[in-house]
Amino acid sequence: PAPTMSEQQSHSAYSEVTNSPLSSRHYRYLLVDVFTERRFSGNPLAVFTEARGLNTDLMQRIARELSHPETTFVFPPADNAYDYSVRIFTPHAELPAAGQSTIGTAFALAQERRVQAPLAQRLVFDEVAGPVSVSMVSPVTTMKQQLPRFGSVYPEPVDRLIAELAR
């Protein structure tokens, strides 16, 4: 099916994470089923729509704890050319970009009405890989990104990668 989602596919939960031994803050996240028209099918995604205060280590730990294929964390943009800054994590590593995560994050922001009326059909995310534009015209959501760049050699030894995947 086309990459569509409906309000019925999003469900929310609350999570408490500790920023330091002395303080804790509650972070709300949405669980979204991406690329489906039915709840509890498609690709699961956790979206933290307000991630201010989380550092890289904590985002990685949260993604590992949730154990979804991908978890996104949304921040205010550092540059006004973007609507949001988005970081994407698997249980094992941060990703520079990911299609299901980008589309699912745009959907979650629209569900929370964090998308203002003039921007309701287009968002630009600042992701590690660069800018990604997402258009939401019911019932289709599409994205446009820079062409991928490939290195000549994978940067980590294969044995380390296999050990990490086996965890």
Side-chain angles (χ1 to χ4, degrees):
T4 63
M5 298 168 282
S6 73
E7 191 167 353
Q8 294 174 332
Q9 272 86 47
S10 79
H11 30 282
S12 62
Y14 291 89
S15 175
E16 181 178 316
V17 294
T18 303
N19 288 330
S20 74
L22 302 176
S23 68
S24 66
R25 177 177 168 191
H26 293 273
Y27 288 87
R28 183 174 184 271
Y29 62 91
L30 296 176
L31 298 177
V32 182
D33 296 313
V34 185
F35 300 139
T36 186
E37 295 175 357
R38 291 182 320 178
R39 193 174 208 178
F40 305 120
S41 60
N43 298 6
L45 173 69
V47 181
F48 286 77
T49 57
E50 178 53 61
R52 270 188 266 215
L54 295 175
N55 63 35
T56 301
D57 179 62
L58 195 49
M59 287 185 280
Q60 185 62 70
R61 289 179 19 217
I62 291 168
R64 184 173 290 128
E65 176 75 18
L66 292 175
S67 198
H68 286 300
E70 291 160 5
T71 301
T72 62
F73 299 88
V74 180
F75 296 90
D79 182 331
N80 288 337
Y82 305 103
D83 297 302
Y84 296 97
S85 178
V86 177
R87 295 187 61 190
I88 304 166
F89 288 80
T90 71
H92 301 287
E94 184 171 9
L95 299 178
Q100 89 161 31
S101 298
T102 299
I103 288 173
T105 298
F107 172 79
L109 291 168
Q111 291 296 79
E112 287 210 328
R113 291 175 178 61
R114 291 178 186 263
V115 178
Q116 301 300 316
L119 303 174
Q121 293 188 0
R122 183 172 176 266
L123 292 172
V124 180
F125 292 152
D126 181 17
E127 296 184 359
V128 172
V132 179
S133 174
V134 181
S135 296
M136 296 174 286
V137 180
S138 187
V140 178
T141 302
T142 61
M143 62 181 261
K144 183 178 180 181
Q145 66 192 36
Q146 296 176 348
L147 291 175
R149 286 174 250 144
F150 299 98
S152 59
V153 178
Y154 193 79
E156 296 185 33
V158 173
D159 292 340
R160 181 173 172 212
L161 178 62
I162 291 171
E164 185 67 25
L165 291 173
R167 289 171 103 205

